[in-house]
Amino acid sequence: MWRYLKRLLIGKPLKTTDEGGQALTKFKALALLSSDALSSVAYGTEQITTVLITLSAAALMYQLWVAALVLVLLFAITLSYQQIIHAYPSGGGAYVVATTNWGQSAGLVAGGSLLVDYMLTVAVSVTSGTDAIISAVPALRAHTVGISIILVLGIMALNLRGMRESASFLTLPVYFFIFMIFVMIGWGLFGILTGRVAYHAASAVGAPVQGMTLVLFFRAFSSGSSSLTGVEAISNAVPNFHKPKSHNASATLAIMASILAFFFGGITFLSYYLGIRPMADNTVLSQIGQAIFGHGVIYYLLQLATAAILAVAANTGFSAFPILAYNMAKDKFLPHAYLDRGDRLGYSNGIISLAVGAIFLIIIFHGKTSLLIPLYTVGVFVPFTLSQSGMIRHWFRVREGKWGLKAVINFVGAFISFALVVFLFWLHFGNVWPYLIVMPALIYMFYRIHLHYINVAHQLRVSENSDAVKRHYDGATVIVLVSDVTQVTAHAIDYARSVGDYVIAMHVSFDENPRKEHKTAQKFKAEFPDVRFVDIHSSYRSIITPTLRFCDVIAKRAAERNFTTTVLVPQFVPRRPWQNVLHNQTALRLRSALNTRQNIIVSTYSYHLKK
């Protein structure tokens, strides 16, 4: 039943040779990898105005200058990541750049930051999408967390179906959103030029605002920079593009950055011109839509488009996280399970891990976007700083082309990114302090995983003097675990006789029915008089503990004589998979416990039922 359900949700498996068919065109890549960055315009301007309104309505004028600085940073970051795409076409983005140029520890900081950030990407996107839905349907407010979790699970299932199918699905909501925002900004600017849209700004551009400080300005800037999250995703996913991969990825990044700049600048200008103020139950983008379109069909189409792209913007995280996890697993800093491809050629373990992490964050932060965004922004700009400063070292090392100009561009991006990280910790410490706990814990985990793989490789390596490490399996003792005298027991005993020099049958008895246990012993001795039968009594109804104690004693005695000990666990296998739930799986628990013993070889004898 699980197999049929899996096929229904995910689809039939793809051959490894079908991987080329999963590559992305620029058209589909823009939908798949840019949804996070483009969707951030739905809340970027709102984050700026939320900070400025704490002073006064007149201070909202400064959103224009904050937006201008954000656009400068966007320009520097875009040029920097285009350079990264060409210099490091294997993907991995900030992790690979920081590792290559600053060393492994810096790379792990960048990689760990991005892993957590992609979880936050999913959480922020779906909670923002839920906010847009609630703005249109306020009655759903009590179900914010539940709606967000359902959206995460839906996008996870979509990505498990494969990259090509998820890109095809995302094409409609992403391009629909792009169309609606173009229409809104275009119609709004036309209304301003024709005088149809009235000027409602609280203060003129350049007018003095009492109480305005540089600290408040940079606080607004650090909040508004959340609009730049997701820009790095394309550099992480270069291997997913059609050939020439670097050229297509770079072109897609340029298109995405141009659209993002126009949207962010246009929405911020309209917000200022219309005198929009942030509200708890109505987003800034929703208010702009109401002012331009009224409460008609077009306004609800705008809200639908916004909710759709915010919900699917999480897909950027689902596209980039598995590839980053793959690169880190390849370097032995994450479990090798992240190297495995699923039935649809996607890195399924990465996709599922990301969904679990995002749901965990949504529950912790109660689905509130405003609580997630500062931590989300830190997770983006720490890797920005490391990657762009790393590119400066890269250009000084390779000295290719106009490397001096490229280094200057990277310096501008690195300087602003670093300053932004400082501002985030200084001005939003109450929201970003978990980063200082999570990152050291992640770095410690990465190094522990790496040490484990290094130790495993050392221990499994075949020695040059191979004769010294050969094991001799003479004089084998086989312990057969017996629960009752059945066909399974009889076949297991026969097999044990064929492979072992000395066979012991071991049975665990309880206090519940002594007469039954006595009959089991008599029946076994009658059937197998030449096999030693040992009955271990358990007063606490435990099978595992007495079994381990007995096997340890036998194994120790055998080892003293240079003999080996094999424990044979008999089990019957039902004909249909669903029938497994009808049985207690004692054999599985015994094998798991016995596998912890060094001097014991664990073997399974499976008896297949016919009905």
Side-chain angles (χ1 to χ4, degrees):
M1 184 173 66
W2 162 244
R3 188 163 58 248
Y4 294 134
L5 181 61
K6 184 179 179 182
R7 293 284 76 84
L8 177 66
L9 293 175
I10 299 175
K12 65 178 183 179
L14 295 175
K15 295 180 181 178
T16 305
T17 52
D18 293 334
E19 183 177 3
Q22 295 290 303
L24 299 172
T25 62
K26 291 192 288 289
F27 181 80
K28 286 190 174 181
L30 185 65
L32 187 67
L33 299 171
S34 301
S35 54
D36 177 30
L38 295 178
S39 69
S40 63
V41 300
Y43 52 80
T45 300
E46 183 157 10
Q47 293 301 309
I48 297 172
T49 57
T50 300
V51 172
L52 294 174
I53 197 67
T54 58
L55 177 61
S56 66
L60 293 176
M61 177 269 295
Y62 281 95
Q63 67 186 291
L64 298 177
W65 306 118
V66 171
L69 187 56
V70 171
L71 291 177
V72 169
L73 181 56
L74 171 62
F75 179 73
I77 288 174
T78 301
L79 291 179
S80 177
Y81 272 108
Q82 283 188 314
Q83 295 166 11
I84 290 172
I85 286 169
H86 291 290
Y88 300 93
S90 61
Y95 167 69
V96 173
V97 176
T99 299
T100 305
N101 296 287
W102 289 118
Q104 195 63 67
S105 295
L108 292 177
V109 172
S113 295
L114 285 173
L115 288 175
V116 175
D117 185 67
Y118 288 134
M119 292 181 184
L120 286 163
T121 294
V122 176
V124 168
S125 297
V126 297
T127 54
S128 298
T130 303
D131 288 343
I133 294 170
I134 291 170
S135 292
V137 189
L140 296 175
R141 181 166 300 279
H143 305 288
T144 300
V145 173
I147 294 172
S148 298
I149 292 174
I150 291 171
L151 289 174
V152 171
L153 294 175
I155 299 170
M156 180 193 74
L158 177 66
N159 279 271
L160 289 174
R161 292 187 64 87
M163 186 169 56
R164 185 172 59 186
E165 287 201 28
S166 59
S168 299
F169 176 83
L170 290 171
T171 299
L172 178 60
V174 171
Y175 284 104
F176 179 47
F177 177 77
I178 291 173
F179 173 76
M180 290 303 301
I181 297 298
F182 265 119
V183 169
M184 185 190 76
I185 294 174
W187 191 247
L189 294 177
F190 178 76
I192 291 171
L193 292 174
T194 57
R196 186 181 60 82
V197 176
Y199 177 76
H200 290 291
S203 61
V205 177
V209 178
Q210 187 174 3
M212 188 64 191
T213 63
L214 198 59
V215 171
L216 185 64
F217 179 85
F218 282 115
R219 187 181 181 92
F221 170 63
S222 61
S223 295
S225 296
S226 60
S227 294
L228 304 185
T229 54
V231 174
E232 80 292 338
I234 292 176
S235 69
N236 283 329
V238 177
N240 290 335
F241 282 81
H242 271 302
K243 295 179 180 179
K245 297 178 184 291
S246 296
H247 172 77
N248 289 331
S250 179
T252 304
L253 178 59
I255 295 168
M256 186 265 305
S258 300
I259 296 172
L260 176 59
F262 177 73
F263 282 4
F264 180 67
I267 290 171
T268 304
F269 174 75
L270 290 175
S271 172
Y272 160 74
Y273 192 89
L274 296 170
I276 301 297
R277 303 183 186 187
M279 299 171 60
D281 57 352
N282 199 4
T283 63
V284 165
L285 189 61
S286 173
Q287 293 180 65
I288 294 173
Q290 290 171 3
I292 293 173
F293 299 127
H295 279 278
V297 174
I298 300 179
Y299 163 73
Y300 283 102
L301 287 176
L302 173 66
Q303 287 301 96
L304 176 63
T306 304
I309 195 172
L310 284 168
V312 302
N315 204 82
T316 298
F318 279 104
S319 301
F321 180 98
I323 295 177
L324 176 58
Y326 169 85
N327 278 288
M328 295 185 72
K330 188 172 62 175
D331 294 338
K332 303 184 187 304
F333 288 102
L334 280 178
H336 284 170
Y338 290 110
L339 298 174
D340 298 335
R341 289 182 179 270
D343 288 348
R344 304 288 293 181
L345 299 179
Y347 297 107
S348 304
N349 292 323
I351 292 170
I352 295 170
S353 298
L354 177 60
V356 171
I359 290 172
F360 184 67
L361 288 169
I362 289 169
I363 293 172
I364 287 179
F365 289 94
H366 308 292
K368 294 182 179 178
T369 307
S370 58
L371 297 178
L372 290 163
I373 284 180
L375 190 59
Y376 173 41
T377 309
V378 168
V380 172
F381 282 97
V382 168
F384 275 0
T385 304
L386 289 170
S387 63
Q388 290 177 82
S389 59
M391 286 302 293
I392 297 173
R393 297 196 66 178
H394 170 82
W395 296 126
F396 273 90
R397 188 174 68 251
V398 301
R399 297 176 181 267
E400 293 176 351
K402 300 179 181 179
W403 65 271
L405 176 61
K406 294 175 180 177
V408 169
I409 293 171
N410 292 137
F411 175 78
V412 172
F415 177 78
I416 299 176
S417 297
F418 177 73
L420 188 56
V421 171
V422 173
F423 290 138
L424 282 165
F425 277 103
W426 177 29
L427 303 172
H428 299 273
F429 187 77
N431 288 329
V432 302
W433 64 265
Y435 183 87
L436 299 176
I437 296 175
V438 171
M439 281 312 302
L442 281 178
I443 300 299
Y444 176 77
M445 181 190 75
F446 293 151
Y447 276 117
R448 291 293 297 176
I449 291 172
H450 188 73
L451 179 62
H452 169 76
Y453 282 127
I454 296 300
N455 289 337
V456 168
H458 176 73
Q459 293 176 69
L460 297 183
R461 190 175 296 117
V462 177
S463 171
E464 293 181 3
N465 185 15
S466 57
D467 291 337
V469 295
K470 284 184 177 178
R471 295 290 302 272
H472 300 279
Y473 295 98
D474 299 330
T477 298
V478 181
I479 302 172
V480 182
L481 305 184
V482 176
S483 62
D484 201 353
V485 182
T486 63
Q487 286 279 9
V488 183
T489 306
H491 285 230
I493 292 293
D494 289 341
Y495 175 74
R497 284 167 168 163
S498 69
V499 298
D501 299 314
Y502 181 50
V503 178
I504 303 173
M506 197 213 79
H507 173 73
V508 178
S509 61
F510 303 141
D511 289 329
E512 296 172 351
N513 195 341
R515 185 176 297 177
K516 178 185 176 184
E517 303 295 354
H518 183 65
K519 283 185 177 180
T520 300
Q522 286 184 327
K523 188 175 180 181
F524 184 89
K525 290 174 182 177
E527 289 285 338
F528 310 104
D530 58 330
V531 176
R532 178 186 171 191
F533 182 82
V534 177
D535 186 8
I536 307 293
H537 182 74
S538 174
S539 300
Y540 295 96
R541 302 160 308 283
S542 170
I543 294 177
I544 305 295
T545 302
T547 300
L548 290 177
R549 286 176 180 169
F550 178 78
C551 293
D552 284 341
V553 171
I554 298 298
K556 183 179 179 182
R557 291 175 181 174
E560 290 171 354
R561 292 177 292 167
N562 243 3
F563 290 173
T564 60
T565 302
T566 299
V567 178
L568 185 61
V569 184
Q571 67 174 18
F572 60 83
V573 181
R575 184 179 178 185
R576 303 188 185 281
W578 67 266
Q579 294 170 337
N580 281 300
V581 301
L582 305 178
H583 305 283
N584 57 18
Q585 307 301 320
T586 302
L588 177 63
R589 290 185 284 123
L590 283 167
R591 285 198 304 273
S592 297
L594 289 165
N595 281 331
T596 64
R597 279 6 196 203
Q598 290 187 11
N599 297 323
I600 294 176
I601 301 168
V602 183
S603 182
T604 303
Y605 183 86
S606 297
Y607 183 88
H608 292 266
L609 301 176
K610 299 201 171 27
K611 294 183 181 179

